[in-house]
Amino acid sequence: MAIEGFDYKEFAASMAEQAKDLVPADLKPHEKEYIVKTLGNFTMLAGEALANDTSLALNAEQAVFITQIIAEWSYHKSIDLINSGILPQYWDSIMQKIAFTIFEVAKQAVIRKIPNEQLLQAVEHHVVKVYKQSIEELEQKGIIDAEIKNRAENQSNIDAMAQQAQQAQANQSQKTQEEIAAESERQAEEARKRKEERRAAKRGKKLPASSGAIPQGLSHKDLKLMSLALVLKVLSQDKVTTILNKFDSNDSLTISQYMNMADLESHIDGDLVTDCIKEIKNFLPVKRKLSKENVLADLKRLYATKSREKIERVIKNERPIVKRFVSKAFDGEFENIPLKVAGIVAEYIEDNV
């Protein structure tokens, strides 16, 4: 009896169609075709096997979950094989081993009601293991040499995609900074025009209190935070949240209070805004150059203030390579992983401890 709500044929076709839009543009046509075809075939076979195995008693959600895992890993590992230098006639046998392993591991994990996070970890562990064993078998048989073996074992499209996502996030962050600067200039100019006649009267005076929201005798830093609040009032909530997270809790709260003042602009002189905007850079975080030394320094700083147990809890569901990296970092050693990935890990830990 088929699984109600699970049309494995339609699902496999959908996965293959999505893969067409995701395959790397620099691959050759026959390589792109291989990725899409392999993903579609394995997804179809897995879905059919699940649907026909009445002993499993799976629901549609569980069947989709298992089948999607096979589709995603088929996509990533077929790309790894294409980039490895291994001849095409050996790709299918390796992919078949990987797909079968995923199917069995995922199926048993679902049956035993293992949490999804642990299931995904187990699948990744066995995929990496089977892939590596298959590469080593080719070397032992003299089909590939040590150079191709090393190149194949170092392929990881899934990590490459993570790096691309981090780069996209960094680009968006840079765009946000540019938007802040442009909006700051616009706000300063508008404030100058609106308050031209009041400039002389306000220059050098303490800002008045308004419903208790603004204290008497504001410091120069407070003026800068007010100026930034004026800019943030016109940005989207997502951008505001991203920027406020870069400040300590006291400054972030102060900026939020200023933003909630309906008449904030009436309390700030145009010249003061212009001057403060020019100095805001001193309060915004400066992005350091990404290097092994800086990453280890950031982690060392965290280790000095946070317990090792707390940090390990943050990464308990991460991949083994991430856990090894963090463990080595405790001893001041840099695990051999891509620098961008190390930066992502350090930033993730800092944001979550």
Side-chain angles (χ1 to χ4, degrees):
M1 180 178 179
I3 300 174
E4 183 178 355
F6 178 56
D7 186 338
Y8 65 86
K9 293 181 180 179
E10 180 180 348
F11 184 74
S14 175
M15 289 290 97
E17 192 64 30
Q18 292 180 45
K20 291 180 181 179
D21 298 327
L22 296 175
V23 291
D26 58 343
L27 295 182
K28 298 176 182 178
H30 75 276
E31 294 172 337
K32 296 179 181 179
E33 181 181 356
Y34 179 80
I35 295 170
V36 175
K37 181 179 178 181
T38 299
L39 182 151
N41 287 343
F42 287 151
T43 305
M44 175 77 76
L45 291 172
E48 182 178 12
L50 293 173
N52 293 334
D53 192 343
T54 57
S55 66
L56 297 177
L58 300 178
N59 58 36
E61 182 180 356
Q62 292 171 321
V64 166
F65 184 58
I66 295 174
T67 312
Q68 186 167 3
I69 294 173
I70 292 177
E72 292 177 354
W73 276 108
S74 296
Y75 172 82
H76 290 302
K77 298 316 291 182
S78 59
I79 292 178
D80 288 345
L81 283 174
I82 289 171
N83 292 329
S84 69
I86 296 174
L87 294 176
Q89 58 261 42
Y90 302 106
W91 296 349
D92 281 348
S93 62
I94 296 176
M95 291 303 303
Q96 287 168 6
K97 293 177 183 177
I98 291 173
F100 177 77
T101 298
I102 297 171
F103 182 80
E104 290 300 319
V105 171
K107 183 177 68 173
Q108 292 302 319
V110 169
I111 293 173
R112 293 163 57 189
K113 298 182 180 180
I114 294 175
N116 289 349
E117 294 79 6
Q118 295 180 23
L119 185 158
L120 293 174
Q121 281 187 319
V123 166
E124 180 172 9
H125 169 76
H126 285 284
V127 166
V128 173
K129 180 180 179 180
V130 170
Y131 178 77
K132 184 176 180 181
Q133 287 176 343
S134 299
I135 302 303
E136 291 174 348
E137 287 176 5
L138 292 180
E139 183 191 30
Q140 291 170 2
K141 293 178 181 179
I143 296 174
I144 61 174
D145 56 21
E147 181 180 353
I148 293 180
K149 171 181 176 290
N150 291 334
R151 186 196 310 169
E153 290 183 340
N154 288 324
Q155 296 297 322
S156 182
N157 186 68
I158 193 169
D159 287 338
M161 288 187 66
Q163 292 179 34
Q164 292 172 4
Q166 172 66 11
Q167 185 60 49
Q169 183 179 7
N171 293 340
Q172 182 61 39
S173 176
Q174 179 62 31
K175 182 179 179 181
T176 300
Q177 297 290 337
E178 293 171 354
E179 289 174 347
I180 291 175
E183 189 62 30
S184 297
E185 294 295 333
R186 187 183 71 80
Q187 287 283 351
E189 181 62 20
E190 289 183 359
R192 186 189 67 77
K193 292 178 179 178
R194 289 196 305 266
K195 301 177 180 64
E196 185 71 30
E197 68 280 1
R198 301 165 60 185
R199 188 182 300 168
K202 290 195 173 188
R203 193 187 308 277
K205 293 184 179 180
K206 294 180 180 179
L207 299 180
S210 174
S211 302
I214 304 180
Q216 294 288 343
L218 289 174
S219 68
H220 192 53
K221 176 180 177 180
D222 289 323
L223 293 177
K224 293 176 183 177
L225 297 180
M226 290 185 77
S227 300
L228 180 57
L230 189 62
V231 174
L232 297 185
K233 287 181 70 173
V234 301
L235 297 181
S236 68
Q237 185 58 48
D238 288 343
K239 293 178 180 177
V240 170
T241 301
T242 299
I243 294 168
L244 289 182
N245 286 340
K246 300 297 184 180
F247 290 82
D248 65 42
S249 57
N250 290 332
D251 288 346
S252 177
L253 179 59
T254 300
I255 295 171
S256 297
Q257 290 174 333
Y258 290 150
M259 290 176 64
N260 290 327
M261 291 182 57
D263 57 346
L264 174 63
E265 60 272 10
S266 67
H267 294 286
I268 309 178
D269 175 66
D271 278 352
L272 291 176
V273 171
T274 301
D275 293 340
C276 289
I277 290 297
K278 292 179 180 178
E279 297 182 34
I280 279 179
K281 291 181 179 180
N282 295 329
F283 288 90
L284 292 176
V286 177
K287 187 173 182 179
R288 297 184 301 165
K289 178 182 178 181
L290 184 62
S291 66
K292 293 182 179 180
E293 292 74 16
N294 287 340
V295 170
L296 288 176
D298 289 341
L299 290 174
K300 184 177 181 181
R301 174 175 51 79
L302 287 174
Y303 299 157
T305 57
K306 306 294 182 180
S307 69
R308 181 165 184 167
E309 291 76 13
K310 187 172 184 179
I311 293 175
E312 289 178 344
R313 282 199 299 270
V314 171
I315 62 168
K316 66 178 182 179
N317 293 325
E318 294 298 325
R319 296 189 298 274
I321 189 174
V322 173
K323 294 181 179 179
R324 287 198 302 273
F325 165 71
V326 174
S327 177
K328 290 289 187 65
F330 272 110
D331 300 323
E333 300 178 17
F334 191 92
E335 175 71 1
N336 186 26
I337 65 173
L339 185 56
K340 288 185 178 180
V341 175
I344 294 173
V345 173
E347 184 176 348
Y348 174 77
I349 294 175
E350 184 174 8
D351 291 341
N352 287 276
V353 291

